[in-house]
Amino acid sequence: MRTYQHPDLSTVTIEHALHALSDPVRLDIVRQLDREVEASCAALDGGRPKSSMSHHFRVLRAAGLVHTRIAGVQHMNTLRRDEVDKRFPGLLDAVLGVKG
Amino acid sequence: MRTYQHPDLSTVTIEHALHALSDPVRLDIVRQLDREVEASCAALDGGRPKSSMSHHFRVLRAAGLVHTRIAGVQHMNTLRRDEVDKRFPGLLDAVLGVKG
């Protein structure tokens, strides 16, 4: 069965994490996952094209921000909140605390 | 005399600020300015090509992070720390606190 690769947070640079968070669609996914704990890709796509969403999830996984597990036909995503908070203290609080 | 445009921080989105900070050269400039208060472009270029540095300073100004004033033949840069901290509380502390 296919599984996704998830980097050890210690190998992720702050620039890499910032880049992943600097896109409105990806930031929206991270915001939703911060509220919803776990969500399928379909529940997070907001009607956007699947190919573009695949790209965004790939970027979020590569930056160590999101974990994706395969559950039957669904891909379930979680925010790696504790690990990210440990690697980049205060970053997600600062980024997610901003309105607009 | 030529002057630079500096946006009101209220018009800068978090995505825009994150993008500006997501480049290693720009992050290095921000780190240096956070320590040195004010510095010329020449003092901050680290031997990098002038054209590429102009681009990076332009991006940092457009994201509301850096202020540039012209002083004779020098362009003097400061980090807009107080304004950025007010607009994005905790962001610069989180980003600048990370090592590596």
Side-chain angles (χ1 to χ4, degrees), chain B residues 12-73:
Chain B
V12 176
T13 63
I14 183 74
E15 293 92 335
H16 195 167
L18 293 170
H19 171 73
L21 292 166
S22 72
D23 177 272
V25 175
R26 291 195 292 270
L27 191 52
D28 192 41
I29 292 171
V30 170
R31 275 190 213 283
Q32 287 189 68
L33 287 177
D34 191 51
R35 285 194 301 264
E36 298 174 24
V37 185
E38 188 174 51
S40 67
C41 291
L44 294 164
D45 72 8
R48 299 181 192 102
K50 195 169 173 177
S51 58
S52 125
M53 292 306 285
S54 296
H55 163 73
H56 288 310
F57 280 107
R58 196 159 48 238
V59 172
L60 288 169
R61 274 192 299 271
L65 300 173
V66 166
H67 182 277
T68 307
R69 70 179 179 91
I70 300 176
V73 296

Side-chain angles (χ1 to χ4, degrees), chain A residues 41-83:
Chain A
C41 292
L44 294 164
D45 71 9
R48 299 180 191 103
K50 194 169 175 178
S51 58
S52 124
M53 292 307 285
S54 296
H55 162 73
H56 289 309
F57 279 107
R58 197 159 48 237
V59 172
L60 288 169
R61 274 193 298 271
L65 299 174
V66 166
H67 182 277
T68 307
R69 70 178 178 91
I70 299 176
V73 296
Q74 289 201 310
H75 293 193
M76 300 301 293
N77 303 282
T78 46
L79 187 59
R80 297 174 66 182
R81 186 65 140 115
D82 292 349
E83 294 167 281

Side-chain angles (χ1 to χ4, degrees), chain A residues 13-15 18-19 21-24 27 31 87-91 94-95 98-100, chain B residues 13-15 18-19 21-24 27 31 87-91 94-95 98-100:
Chain A
T13 63
I14 182 75
E15 293 92 334
L18 292 170
H19 171 73
L21 292 166
S22 72
D23 177 273
L27 191 52
R31 274 190 214 284
R87 174 74 176 106
F88 306 118
L91 180 64
V95 170
V98 175
K99 298 191 180 17
Chain B
T13 63
I14 183 74
E15 293 92 335
L18 293 170
H19 171 73
L21 292 166
S22 72
D23 177 272
L27 191 52
R31 275 190 213 283
R87 174 75 176 107
F88 306 118
L91 180 64
V95 170
V98 175
K99 297 190 181 20

